[in-house]
């Protein structure tokens, strides 16, 4: 990992609404500059996407944005980010995605011109490459469609460019189900890192070319999969917490390659990103329960610069269409955050303490997001010489903190969970910090029918 | 004999694959499912007896513990691995027809959807309960299901989807299957689907979890 020091060295300075390196959008939103904005994400209810339906789909997206902006205006919102996370058909046929962005951006511009209401679109093409098994991460024609959408979508109005890339996921999923820590580290810290290095060079190049902002990536397909499986009681929460820490070095690669932030909402590891790199982050908590359950509803907001709902279907609720309803919920949360920011650092720290302490002792995944724990773990991470060593250092520190909190009765746990701490620690200890040694070891045991090593430069 | 079957049941229940496997620690150095199945066959036990009185019993115990949140998936996977080790010795008897499985289950994630964690879990549970599982993988076109149904006429089909935008492909798949094979049983599962959706698309059963899928198949097999 290129970072050897923390951008934020003290938990006192790890705040919500402020990042050492704020990002200014084309319509003037300053993210991480002393304001928390809502980030609204939405998806279609069950609909086929093809040439016969695209016109009505575009109209639906326009209607969603208009409804949210109108509500934002009524609520005196300071600004809104709309995340347009494409569905596969919209990336496979970039014309569809571009048309939707263009139409949404026209509405955004209209509200900006007429009402002075700033909003931006974060364009997040889905990673199509996983449609091929094993995926061809570097040579697939599907990568061309993704990059075309980034390129044309940026011109059409996507101001922030992001992705939830999936390099390494073909090994990760089975490794997670069996809680095989070595394979998890291999997928995240070797395959994931290498894929991110390749992909983010290209995304940064596109965003620089068009004067747009390269936002960031998340380990959604990895650490959030772990979180959701832990919520279902399929895997231990302690494993999910460990996976979250291990995912940091992978997500950080986007910043190393030139991304500026804000990092994407579904990366709860974003708080580590903020501490290490100083970039602003989007986070999601209780208002993302429409998309997935989590044990992080309040604490996720403790260091947020954007506050998101992850995704909601465009369905009618009693009050209004769901995206409009969720915009209102996000806006009220943002108001509360911004009220604390107005009150100065002591008020921010008070709100942050309440957000953190209301969650952190119920679940290890929440515990490792508490600001002072984040700083302690991040400090250990940056001491490593390789991505693997950084990740393992962080995970070991996280386990130490979790174990201590359990043994002192602060963190709720169970015998069924606790037995995993030692087995995870033992597995992590057996991982060589030298990347080439680790790769050599793993290539002997990982099922090579699942992935193409050349697609990762191995 | 009973003792041998009991030992084998415990190997499946606790995921003891073979003598060399270190897991579980308290069974280290003891024979595992591999050795004990071989021994049972050598001692003249019938394959169907081994299957029904030891292997399936072990997996049922594991399934029950998982359903009651007493174990996690990795522990269940170890049991599945032990079951696989045992089934290596049983395979010739299934192939010759001298032993029979409870039925055949064809499963796949529907077209456009790549999620397979839930599907794999269901496959594992059903296989462990004595069924042959034909796993078609992810992003499966409806025609692939039809091809497999033709090969296994008495099968049950399972469809999985995780996205609201791909669950509609379940409807297309079920419609095609039912047009060609009106009596074909189809069950569905996945985060966005529900019992109501199941009825809407004319599928036969909605399973909210892997264990319910096993119970449904057992009800059809009995």
């Amino acid at each position: 990992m290129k970072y050897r020091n923390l951008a934020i060295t003290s938990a006192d300075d790890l705040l919500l609404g402020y990042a050492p390196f704020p990002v200014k959008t084309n319509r003037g939103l300053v993210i991480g500059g002393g304001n928390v904005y809502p980030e609204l994400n939405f998806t279609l209810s069950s609909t086929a996407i093809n040439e016969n339906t695209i016109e009505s789909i575009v109209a639906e997206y326009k209607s969603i944005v208009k409804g949210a902006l109108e509500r934002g205006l009524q609520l005196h919102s300071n600004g809104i980010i709309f995340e347009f996370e494409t569905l596969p058909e919209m990336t496979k046929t970039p014309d569809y995605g571009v048309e939707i962005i263009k139409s949404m951006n026209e509405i955004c511009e209209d509200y900006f011109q007429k009402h002075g209401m700033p909003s931006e679109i974060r364009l997040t093409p889905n990673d199509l490459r996983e449609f091929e098994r094993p995926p061809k991460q570097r040579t697939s024609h599907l990568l061309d469609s993704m990059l075309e959408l980034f390129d044309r979508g940026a011109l059409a109005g996507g101001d922030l460019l992001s992705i939830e890339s999936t390099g390494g996921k073909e090994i990760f999923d089975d490794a997670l189900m069996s809680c095989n820590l070595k394979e998890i580290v291999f997928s995240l810290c070797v395959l994931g890192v290498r894929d991110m290095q390749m992909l983010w060079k290209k995304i940064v190049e596109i965003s620089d070319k068009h004067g747009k902002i390269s936002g960031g990536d998340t380990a959604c397909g990895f650490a959030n999969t772990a979180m959701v499986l832990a919520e279902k009681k399929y895997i231990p929460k302690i494993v999910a917490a460990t996976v979250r820490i291990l995912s940091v070095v992978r997500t950080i690669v986007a910043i190393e390659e030139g991304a500026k932030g804000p990092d994407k909402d579904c990366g709860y590891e974003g708080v580590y990103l903020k501490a290490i790199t100083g970039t602003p982050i989007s986070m999601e908590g209780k208002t993302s329960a429409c998309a997935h359950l989590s044990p992080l509803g309040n604490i996720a907001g403790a260091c947020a610069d954007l506050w998101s709902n992850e995704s909601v279907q465009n369905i009618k609720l009693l009050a209004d269409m769901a995206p409009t309803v969720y915009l209102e919920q996000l806006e009220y949360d943002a108001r509360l955050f911004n009220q604390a920011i107005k009150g100065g650092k002591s008020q921010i720290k008070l709100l942050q303490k309440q957000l953190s302490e209301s969650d952190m002792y119920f679940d290890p995944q929440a515990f490792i997001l508490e600001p002072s724990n984040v700083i302690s773990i991040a400090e250990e991470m940056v001491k490593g010489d390789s991505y693997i060593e950084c990740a393992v250092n962080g995970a070991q520190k996280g386990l130490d903190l979790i174990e201590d909190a359990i043994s002192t009765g602060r963190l709720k746990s169970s015998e069924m969970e606790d037995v995993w701490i030692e087995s995870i620690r033992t597995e992590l200890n057996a991982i060589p910090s030298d990347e080439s040694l680790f790769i050599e070891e793993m290539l002997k045991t990982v099922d090579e029918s699942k992935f193409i090593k050349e697609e990762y430069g191995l | 004999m009973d003792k041998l079957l009991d030992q084998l049941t415990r190997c499946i229940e606790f995921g003891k694959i073979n003598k060399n496997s270190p897991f579980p620690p308290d069974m280290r150095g003891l024979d595992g499912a591999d050795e004990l199945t071989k021994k049972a066959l050598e001692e003249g036990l019938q394959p169907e007896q081994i299957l029904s009185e030891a292997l399936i019993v072990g997996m049922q115990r594991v399934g029950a513990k998982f359903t009651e949140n007493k174990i996690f998936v990795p522990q269940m996977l170890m049991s599945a691995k032990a079951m696989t080790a045992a089934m290596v010795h049983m395979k010739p008897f299934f192939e010759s027809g001298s032993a029979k499985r409870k039925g055949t289950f064809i499963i796949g994630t529907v077209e456009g959807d790549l999620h397979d964690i839930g599907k794999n879990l269901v496959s594992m549970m059903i296989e462990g309960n004595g069924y042959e599982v034909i796993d078609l993988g992810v992003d499966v076109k409806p025609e692939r299901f039809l091809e497999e149904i033709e090969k296994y006429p008495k099968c049950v089909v399972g469809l999985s989807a995780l996205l609201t935008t791909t669950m509609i492909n379940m409807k297309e798949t079920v419609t095609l299957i039912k047009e060609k094979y009106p009596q074909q049983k189809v069950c569905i599962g996945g985060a966005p689907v529900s019992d109501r959706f199941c009825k809407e698309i004319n599928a036969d059963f909605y399973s909210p979890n892997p264990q319910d899928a096993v119970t449904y198949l057992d009800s059809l097999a009995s």
Side-chain angles (χ1 to χ4, degrees), chain A residues 333-351:
Chain A
D333 283 340
R335 271 191 195 177
L336 180 64
F337 295 153
N338 291 331
Q339 190 61 30
I341 290 169
K342 274 183 203 163
K345 194 169 177 180
S346 63
Q347 291 290 309
I348 297 174
K349 293 311 287 182
L350 178 63
L351 179 59

Side-chain angles (χ1 to χ4, degrees), chain B residues 11-222:
Chain B
C11 286
I12 300 296
E13 182 181 357
F14 296 103
K16 177 70 177 168
I17 300 167
N18 56 37
K19 195 167 187 168
N20 294 329
S21 56
F23 183 85
D26 60 340
M27 293 171 81
R28 195 168 290 182
L30 300 177
D31 281 346
D34 179 19
E35 293 85 3
L36 292 176
T37 306
K38 192 175 170 207
K39 192 173 175 187
L41 287 166
E42 284 168 355
E43 290 188 10
L45 285 173
Q46 292 303 304
E48 283 188 358
Q49 187 187 5
I50 297 170
L51 184 68
S52 62
E53 293 180 24
L55 304 182
I56 291 178
V57 174
M59 280 307 287
Q60 283 172 339
R61 286 184 192 168
V62 174
K65 281 195 270 190
F66 180 68
T67 304
E68 292 163 15
N69 296 323
K70 290 179 179 166
I71 57 169
F72 294 114
V73 169
Q75 287 131 306
M76 201 161 70
L77 279 170
M78 294 306 289
S79 293
K81 283 182 183 171
M83 183 80 173
T84 302
M87 292 303 271
V88 167
H89 302 289
M90 305 284 281
K91 198 176 174 188
F93 300 95
F94 291 122
E95 285 176 350
S96 69
S98 60
K100 285 188 171 58
R101 288 192 175 91
K102 285 155 82 177
T104 303
F105 184 62
I106 293 168
I107 188 168
T109 305
V110 294
E111 188 173 11
D113 201 317
L114 299 167
H115 296 88
D116 60 3
I117 287 178
K119 171 188 71 66
N120 294 346
L121 203 55
V122 171
S123 297
M124 185 176 66
M125 289 280 278
I126 288 176
E127 193 165 22
N129 275 273
Y131 293 86
E132 182 180 17
V133 173
I134 312 290
D135 187 342
L136 302 182
V138 297
D139 191 21
V140 182
K141 293 187 189 312
E143 295 76 19
R144 277 289 291 128
F145 286 101
L146 294 179
E147 285 168 22
E148 293 302 316
I149 294 167
E150 199 172 331
K151 287 186 210 164
Y152 303 94
K154 292 179 182 171
C155 70
V156 176
V157 172
L159 306 179
S160 173
L162 193 80
L163 304 173
T164 54
T165 47
T166 54
M167 62 190 267
I168 53 170
N169 296 336
M170 280 183 166
K171 183 178 181 180
E172 190 192 342
T173 306
V174 173
T175 304
L176 268 178
I177 290 173
K178 295 281 183 178
E179 269 173 18
K180 192 163 182 190
Y181 304 101
Q183 303 305 314
Q184 177 62 49
K185 298 293 184 194
V186 181
C187 63
I188 66 168
V193 303
S194 63
D195 193 37
R196 187 175 165 182
F197 179 72
C198 173
K199 290 186 175 79
E200 275 172 21
I201 65 169
N202 197 29
D204 298 284
F205 184 73
Y206 160 65
S207 181
N209 57 57
Q211 190 59 43
D212 281 14
V214 173
T215 307
Y216 173 65
L217 260 67
D218 283 347
S219 73
L220 295 176
S222 62

Side-chain angles (χ1 to χ4, degrees), chain A residues 165-169 172 176 187-188 219-226 243 250:
Chain A
S165 66
T166 57
K169 191 164 161 60
F172 177 85
L176 181 65
S187 61
L188 284 167
C220 181
F222 304 85
N224 286 10
T225 301
V243 172
R250 176 204 159 280

